[in-house]
């Protein structure tokens, strides 16, 4: 089955800095890569996703890049704000099953 | 649209008791997923169901755990004879599984504590 590794487990930045979270996956059949944000005590919510036919996708201050050859994908957050503080999960799934396998999460702390 | 509704939000059980967690998917969603989350760990897939069918239960322990999604009513995750290691947050998610999106919509979770 799929295995998703996520790094770092904790990331502390100053407000206004950029943050990068990296994930690798093992199953070359995976073709859908969502990112979820989970605030403390809340439900995970999708913030951005990318498919394997696209190398990069951007939505305002967040962007995701995908390298299919190396089987890794990354989340980039620019101009971080305190409200970006949360746990971020990457995931990978094969298009036929759409059952995402999640990474262990990255706790992002943005200091004002 | 009320979103994915889970209840109870918090459940306390003693070892050996049964826990029943309920999940009502978003309106129009016929696919339900259950995930377990332990502190400092990610979301571990347990089971994927459609109405009246278990599609994939590869992540669910073979003993003591069962899930259903009846034609009418919510999906239920049932844990029999709970042990302390079952203490976790259990998240339900639903989706439409259309060709254009694989987004899962999560509930707020049910936090099970086993004494």
């Amino acid at each position: 089955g799929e295995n998703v590794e996520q790094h770092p487990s904790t990331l502390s930045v100053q407000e206004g800095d950029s943050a990068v979270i990296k994930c690798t996956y093992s199953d070359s059949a995976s073709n859908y890569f969502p990112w979820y944000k989970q605030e403390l005590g809340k439900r995970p919510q999708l913030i951005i996703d990318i498919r394997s036919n696209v190398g990069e996708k951007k939505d305002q201050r967040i962007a995701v890049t995908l390298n299919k050859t190396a089987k890794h994908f990354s989340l980039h957050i620019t101009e971080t704000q305190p409200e970006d503080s949360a746990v971020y999960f990457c995931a990978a799934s094969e298009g036929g099953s759409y059952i995402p396998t999640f990474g262990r999460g990255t706790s992002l702390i943005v200091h004002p | 649209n009320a979103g994915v509704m889970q209840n109870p939000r918090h459940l306390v059980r003693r070892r050996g008791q049964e826990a029943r967690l309920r999940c009502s998917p978003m309106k129009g969603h016929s696919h339900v997923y259950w995930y377990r989350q332990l502190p400092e760990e990610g979301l571990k897939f347990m089971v994927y169901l459609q109405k009246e069918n278990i599609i994939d239960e590869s992540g669910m322990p073979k003993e003591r755990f069962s899930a259903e999604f009846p034609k009418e009513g919510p999906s239920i995750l049932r844990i029999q004879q709970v042990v302390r290691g079952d203490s976790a947050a259990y998240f339900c998610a639903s989706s439409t599984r259309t060709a254009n999106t694989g987004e899962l919509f999560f509930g707020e979770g049910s936090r099970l504590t086993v004494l």
Side-chain angles (χ1 to χ4, degrees), chain A residues 29-90:
Chain A
S30 289
N31 57 8
Y32 175 65
F33 306 92
W35 287 86
Y36 286 80
K37 175 183 179 182
Q38 185 180 27
E39 296 177 2
L40 189 63
K42 299 291 182 64
R43 71 185 79 195
Q45 291 186 293
L46 181 75
I47 56 171
I48 195 167
D49 56 14
I50 191 167
R51 298 181 185 279
S52 58
N53 58 347
V54 175
E56 184 174 357
K57 185 176 178 181
K58 192 173 181 181
D59 182 4
Q60 299 183 354
R61 293 187 299 107
I62 60 173
V64 58
T65 59
L66 171 65
N67 183 326
K68 284 173 55 181
T69 303
K71 296 203 195 84
H72 67 69
F73 55 114
S74 301
L75 177 72
H76 304 252
I77 306 174
T78 59
E79 300 173 23
T80 53
Q81 301 167 3
E83 51 265 39
D84 294 330
S85 296
V87 178
Y88 291 80
F89 293 98
C90 64

Side-chain angles (χ1 to χ4, degrees), chain A residues 32 34 36 38 41-46 49 51 87 89 95-105, chain B residues 4 9 33 35 37 40-43 45 48 56 91 97-104 106-108 111:
Chain A
Y32 175 65
Y36 286 80
Q38 185 180 27
K42 299 291 182 64
R43 71 185 79 195
Q45 291 186 293
L46 181 75
D49 56 14
R51 298 181 185 279
V87 178
F89 293 98
S97 74
Y98 271 135
I99 300 175
T101 298
F102 286 83
R104 293 170 72 94
Chain B
V4 178
R9 293 290 312 278
Y33 308 73
Y35 283 83
Q37 185 176 39
E40 309 302 322
E41 293 191 17
L43 296 153
F45 168 74
Y48 161 46
D56 187 326
F91 284 91
R97 288 287 302 276
T98 65
N100 294 325
T101 177
E103 179 177 2
L104 299 188
F106 283 87
E108 296 279 1
R111 283 154 180 82

